[in-house]
Amino acid sequence: MPTDSIWSYAPGLDHARGADLTGYTVVARDGTAGHVDRRADHHGMPHLVVDTGVWVFGRSLLVPVGVITSVDTAERKLTVSCTRAELKAAPRFRTDSETMDVVYLTAVGLYYSELPREERPA
């Protein structure tokens, strides 16, 4: 997947673009990964900050919107195209200022764009 598309919603997910996804459950291919803490869109790189709870020792993750494969507004759940291990192995998110750091965001985008993944829905 090209790096620039990692920052774009998949076709068919336009309804998620302006939606408040805060609190939505994030489901990876192999189980629940956490809950959306907030959404940010700095430098034209929209992403979610995901609170992982205890499975990554309370760590938060930064997840580009391009890995979202579906959004279920009725169940307040979104699915991502990666596994929990792939999410955990992403560049470590430490501080809120990183959501505005173009160098960090670029590293995150490169990591996710190089992951093998299932095809996104058309």
Side-chain angles (χ1 to χ4, degrees):
M1 170 181 291
T3 305
D4 60 339
S5 67
I6 205 71
W7 305 110
S8 302
Y9 287 93
L13 293 180
D14 288 334
H15 66 286
R17 185 177 318 276
D20 180 8
L21 302 175
T22 303
Y24 275 51
T25 300
V26 177
V27 180
R29 289 194 325 234
D30 57 351
T32 301
H35 292 87
V36 176
D37 186 44
R38 65 190 170 283
R39 181 189 176 281
D41 187 4
H42 302 289
H43 305 290
M45 299 171 160
H47 54 273
L48 306 173
V49 176
V50 177
D51 178 355
T52 62
V54 297
W55 77 269
V56 190
F57 306 110
R59 191 173 115 192
S60 291
L61 304 170
L62 193 137
V63 179
V65 299
V67 299
I68 300 171
T69 57
S70 68
V71 176
D72 184 334
T73 54
E75 292 194 28
R76 297 185 49 81
K77 166 176 89 169
L78 62 88
T79 305
V80 295
S81 62
C82 26
T83 65
R84 288 168 37 120
E86 290 168 336
L87 290 168
K88 186 176 179 181
R92 187 164 182 112
F93 176 73
R94 291 180 177 86
T95 66
D96 284 341
S97 65
E98 287 175 320
T99 65
M100 295 177 273
D101 180 348
V102 73
V103 173
Y104 173 73
L105 293 172
T106 300
V108 169
L110 184 61
Y111 170 80
Y112 282 102
S113 67
E114 291 180 345
L115 289 178
R117 70 179 101 261
E118 298 172 3
E119 286 296 312
R120 299 191 309 182

